[in-house]
């Protein structure tokens, strides 16, 4: 289980996370929604120790990751897969090598096993036959899918997705959402998805949470979330300009 | 009042900045080197870097050595002619190359060629979150990026220095024999007579330090990069300038200790 306890973080005096508390249930998919620039990516980076909080704790299976040594933290990180908002593919490696990278670093597989795994996961994300292209030669949406494939290849216990469907066409978004659902059914990872895509969120999420002004202001099952009485949540779901959210 | 205080403020800020920077570099060196026993050495990247710093720099370093040796020979001739000791041109060229110009010029050329690309490559990876991605995949970026570069530079700089000095001495010889029309036997004989093994060793020892300096500073600056494409440019410039300055400074220190 992943617990964020009283997490606060400021950048040059501006509070991005403000005493944020949330628990992400084991083997559940939690979708976190919120405004652009609201600190969702920052929250995700805290969960995996890329950023350190000004105050508060990040507990993974009861362990405070900010109290760990680098090597111990790396052991915990091996349980994670993360899809970055902009892909963050290694741009000196081909698509194939990017997806194979975690395998080569942490597993002792034969070249044949690596090939089988990479081809099968790339087929899952709809990227047949693009193996030898460089990241700069494929579209943004394709890069994102390569990122998803790379994150899933080690069948991690915990998956973090930073806007996995933003920038994809509706069909491809649905492919990715279905991929996440089927992978989740297969491997039962704990999933945290950051998303703006409301219909996708209701489809994939067991729990939906809303991050607003540095705090989680609502969280619950899709039904509960949809019927929330919180005016901010209502406005966000209906996607209108009028409401308490200040532009 | 301000006119008096401002310069002191600037000096103070500069001192603080330099001390902080040196502290950060010391921590960086420490963290890079403790990654070796923890994760071992990434040999694939090490080989890539050895090829990049070694083979691929051959022409740059060779040309630098050639022209430096040629011009040294020529300059030494004008001075030696006056006192009638033109037979000393050989040792002058050889000693200058081996002790001083070989190591320093090689280091400066490789800083320009490889240091800049180390800083900009790592800097770009930093601003495009590729370094974050490495960390998330539990791959220590120091193990993956820094250590191979630092070790490759330390290993290849002496090799390239030998090449540079050798080609420089040959360049000096060419000018001595074909342009100045002097006797080729004296050139070689006098070099043998005046040069000691110690000169060569110490020159090479210096180049190991220079290799470490240029790779450490350049990769360090790469990791410091923030602020998009402009930031990459800024930190790459800093990497080259700082590496060069530190190399020249270390050259003075090492020369006064070693020779
Ligand atoms: N490394 C950083 N340095 C300084 N400020 C940062 C940094 N990372 C994020 N911020 C700031 O934190 C705030 C939240 O950023 P974040 O990337 O988390 O937004 P987000 O909710 O993910 O938005 P989006 O949906 O557009 O991706 C922004 O105002 C941003 O400027
Ligand atoms: Mg974001």
């Amino acid at each position: 289980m992943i617990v964020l306890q009283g997490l606060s973080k400021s950048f040059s005096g501006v509070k991005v996370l403000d005493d944020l508390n949330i628990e992400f249930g084991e083997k559940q998919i939690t979708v976190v929604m919120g405004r652009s620039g609201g600190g969702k990516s920052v929250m995700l980076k805290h969960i995996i120790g890329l950023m350190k909080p000004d105050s508060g704790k990040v507990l993974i299976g009861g362990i405070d990751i900010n109290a760990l040594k680098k090597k111990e933290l790396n052991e915990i990180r091996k349980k994670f897969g993360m899809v970055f908002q902009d892909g963050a593919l290694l741009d000196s490696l081909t698509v194939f090598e990017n997806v194979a990278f975690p395998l080569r670093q942490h597993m002792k597989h034969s070249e044949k096993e690596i090939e089988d795994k990479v081809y099968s996961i790339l087929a899952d994300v709809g990227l047949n036959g693009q193996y030898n292209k460089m990241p700069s030669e494929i579209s943004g949406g394709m890069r994102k899918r390569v990122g998803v494939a790379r994150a899933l290849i080690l069948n991690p216990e915990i998956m973090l997705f930073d806007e996995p469907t933003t920038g994809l066409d509706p069909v491809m978004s649905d492919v990715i959402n279905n991929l996440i659902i089927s992978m989740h059914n297969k491997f039962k990872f704990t999933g945290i998805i950051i998303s703006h895509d409301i219909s996708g969120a209701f489809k994939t999420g067991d729990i939906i949470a809303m991050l607003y002004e540095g705090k989680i202001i609502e969280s619950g099952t899709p039904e509960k979330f949809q019927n929330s009485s919180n005016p901010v949540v209502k406005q966000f779901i209906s996607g209108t300009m009028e409401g308490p959210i200040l532009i | 009042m301000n006119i008096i205080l401002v310069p002191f403020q600037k000096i103070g800020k500069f001192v603080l900045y330099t001390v902080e920077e040196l502290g950060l570099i010391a921590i960086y060196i420490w963290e890079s080197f403790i990654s070796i026993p923890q994760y071992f050495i990434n040999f694939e990247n090490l080989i890539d870097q050895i090829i990049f710093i070694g083979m691929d720099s051959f022409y740059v370093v060779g040309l630098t050595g050639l022209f430096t040796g040629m011009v040294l020979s020529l300059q030494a001739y004008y001075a030696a002619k006056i006192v009638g000791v033109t037979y000393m041109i050989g040792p002058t060229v050889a000693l200058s190359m081996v002790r001083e110009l070989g190591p320093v010029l090689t280091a400066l050329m490789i800083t320009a060629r490889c240091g800049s690309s180390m800083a900009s490559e790592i800097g770009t990876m930093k601003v495009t979150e590729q370094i974050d991605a490495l960390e998330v995949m539990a791959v220590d970026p120091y193990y993956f990026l820094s250590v191979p570069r630092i070790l490759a530079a330390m290993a290849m700089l002496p090799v390239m220095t030998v090449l540079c000095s050798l080609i420089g001495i040959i360049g000096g010889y060419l000018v001595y024999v074909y342009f100045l029309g002097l006797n080729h036997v004296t050139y070689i004989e006098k070099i043998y007579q005046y040069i000691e093994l110690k000169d060569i060793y110490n020159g090479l020892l210096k180049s190991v330090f220079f290799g470490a300096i240029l790779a450490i500073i350049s990769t360090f600056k790469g990791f410091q990069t923030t602020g998009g494409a402009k930031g990459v440019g800024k930190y790459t410039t800093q990497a080259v300038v700082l590496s060069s300055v530190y190399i020249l400074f270390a050259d003075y220190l090492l020369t006064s200790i070693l020779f």
Side-chain angles (χ1 to χ4, degrees):
Chain A
M1 186 149 77
I2 301 170
V3 183
L4 306 184
Q5 258 175 18
L7 215 58
S8 296
K9 180 75 175 179
S10 308
F11 291 108
S12 41
V14 181
K15 258 207 153 99
V16 174
L17 302 182
D18 182 11
D19 191 22
L20 179 147
N21 290 291
I22 186 170
E23 293 186 4
F24 298 99
E26 192 103 350
K27 302 197 190 329
Q28 275 186 332
I29 292 185
T30 309
V31 179
V32 180
M33 299 208 275
R35 309 185 56 183
S36 182
K40 303 182 298 299
S41 297
V42 168
M43 182 191 81
L44 217 56
K45 284 179 183 168
H46 277 86
I47 294 176
I48 195 150
L50 284 175
M51 287 183 175
K52 294 220 179 295
D54 297 337
S55 64
K57 278 183 185 161
V58 178
L59 303 172
I60 312 242
I63 300 170
D64 179 358
I65 61 162
N66 290 303
L68 295 179
K69 295 209 182 73
K70 211 166 154 189
K71 180 140 197 190
E72 296 165 329
L73 179 59
N74 271 345
E75 284 309 310
I76 292 205
R77 278 176 174 163
K78 285 184 191 164
K79 298 182 189 168
F80 278 85
M82 177 164 178
V83 180
F84 283 80
Q85 191 162 355
D86 300 314
L89 302 179
L90 302 177
D91 56 18
S92 57
L93 301 180
T94 61
V95 166
F96 180 94
E97 284 303 326
N98 260 289
V99 179
F101 188 82
L103 287 176
R104 292 198 198 285
Q105 294 301 320
H106 298 306
M107 299 286 160
K108 292 200 164 43
H109 287 313
S110 70
E111 199 55 30
K112 179 84 183 62
E113 285 172 304
I114 292 179
E115 263 178 32
D116 289 347
K117 281 194 179 231
V118 173
Y119 288 156
S120 115
I121 196 104
L122 279 174
D124 283 343
V125 295
L127 283 174
N128 270 318
Q130 316 279 351
Y131 313 123
N132 292 319
K133 294 212 169 122
M134 300 306 282
S136 57
E137 295 167 346
I138 59 178
S139 76
M142 287 155 92
R143 276 200 286 276
K144 190 151 263 180
R145 284 181 277 153
V146 177
V148 173
R150 178 178 71 180
L152 284 170
I153 194 126
L154 289 180
N155 301 331
E157 286 171 39
I158 304 163
M159 281 292 301
L160 311 178
F161 299 90
D162 197 345
E163 306 196 12
T165 57
T166 308
L168 300 183
D169 63 74
V171 176
M172 207 24 97
S173 296
D174 204 43
V175 168
I176 294 292
N177 282 332
N178 283 325
L179 177 73
I180 293 173
I181 293 169
S182 71
M183 286 295 197
H184 182 251
N185 288 336
K186 211 158 136 194
F187 299 113
K188 291 284 170 227
F189 52 74
T190 303
I192 303 175
I193 305 176
I194 292 197
S195 179
H196 295 298
D197 162 19
I198 306 228
S199 65
F202 288 140
K203 191 171 163 185
T204 47
D206 299 311
I207 300 287
I208 317 273
M210 167 110 189
L211 175 64
Y212 184 67
E213 294 190 332
K215 292 179 168 54
I216 299 291
I217 54 163
E218 180 74 84
S219 94
T221 59
E223 294 73 43
K224 186 183 159 217
F225 193 82
Q226 215 151 10
N227 300 321
S228 166
S229 57
N230 190 315
V232 173
V233 177
K234 275 184 168 167
Q235 186 192 350
F236 197 83
I237 294 176
S238 62
T240 50
M241 231 175 84
E242 288 78 28
I245 299 178
L246 300 171
I247 315 292
Chain B
M1 194 62 183
N2 260 346
I3 298 167
I4 304 170
L5 281 182
V6 165
F8 285 106
Q9 254 174 7
K10 282 200 172 145
I11 293 169
K13 270 193 189 141
F14 176 76
V15 170
L16 282 179
Y17 173 81
T18 311
V19 169
E20 187 186 341
E21 183 103 333
L22 286 175
L24 288 174
I25 291 174
I27 294 171
Y28 173 67
I29 295 172
W30 170 244
E31 288 191 343
S32 297
F33 277 82
I34 55 168
S35 85
I36 297 177
Q38 279 184 357
Y39 302 103
F40 214 54
I41 294 164
N42 190 313
F43 280 104
E44 210 173 307
N45 289 1
L46 181 65
I47 307 265
D48 280 353
Q49 289 302 319
I50 284 181
I51 291 170
F52 177 58
I53 297 170
M55 319 317 180
D56 297 353
S57 304
F58 178 78
Y59 285 108
V60 185
V61 170
L63 283 175
T64 310
L66 183 70
F67 289 121
T68 310
M70 285 167 67
V71 85
L72 270 178
S73 191
L74 208 55
Q75 293 283 22
Y77 174 71
Y78 293 121
K81 191 179 58 176
I82 299 168
V83 283
V85 288
T86 52
Y87 60 86
M88 283 306 286
I89 293 174
T92 308
V93 173
L95 283 175
S96 317
M97 286 309 295
V98 168
R99 289 171 62 135
E100 197 54 50
L101 293 174
V104 171
L105 290 179
T106 305
L108 292 180
M109 293 312 282
I110 292 194
T111 300
R113 190 178 172 276
C114 305
S116 60
S117 95
M118 287 178 196
S120 59
E121 193 182 341
I122 295 178
T124 305
M125 291 181 77
K126 177 84 188 302
V127 299
T128 55
E129 293 189 318
Q130 292 178 58
I131 304 279
D132 283 352
L134 282 179
E135 286 198 43
V136 166
M137 291 188 280
V139 174
D140 187 322
Y142 294 162
Y143 147 85
F144 195 71
L145 298 169
S146 308
V147 172
R149 283 170 175 73
I150 296 169
L151 293 183
M154 289 171 74
M156 289 318 284
L157 262 253
V159 177
M160 301 316 283
T161 301
V162 169
L163 265 170
C164 180
S165 304
L166 198 64
I167 294 175
I169 293 170
I170 294 171
Y173 174 85
L174 294 177
V175 169
Y176 189 82
V177 177
Y178 296 106
F179 185 75
L180 302 172
L182 298 166
N183 184 341
H184 68 275
V185 180
T186 30
Y187 186 86
I188 296 164
E189 229 170 38
K190 291 290 167 189
I191 289 180
Y192 270 114
Q193 191 182 330
Y194 283 97
I195 206 165
E196 287 173 45
L197 220 46
K198 181 174 152 255
D199 297 319
I200 300 175
Y201 285 154
N202 286 346
L204 294 187
L205 191 59
K206 282 208 273 191
S207 71
V208 176
F209 277 96
F210 297 163
I213 291 172
L214 83 88
I216 287 169
I217 305 278
S218 301
T219 51
F220 172 75
K221 283 288 165 189
F223 281 110
Q224 267 197 331
T225 304
T226 53
K230 205 171 172 185
V232 173
K234 182 178 136 194
Y235 282 90
T236 303
T237 309
Q238 282 189 15
V240 173
V241 172
L242 261 192
S243 300
S244 309
V245 170
Y246 282 140
I247 283 170
L248 294 171
F249 179 59
D251 183 42
Y252 178 77
L253 272 187
L254 289 169
T255 306
S256 61
I257 295 168
L258 291 173
F259 290 106

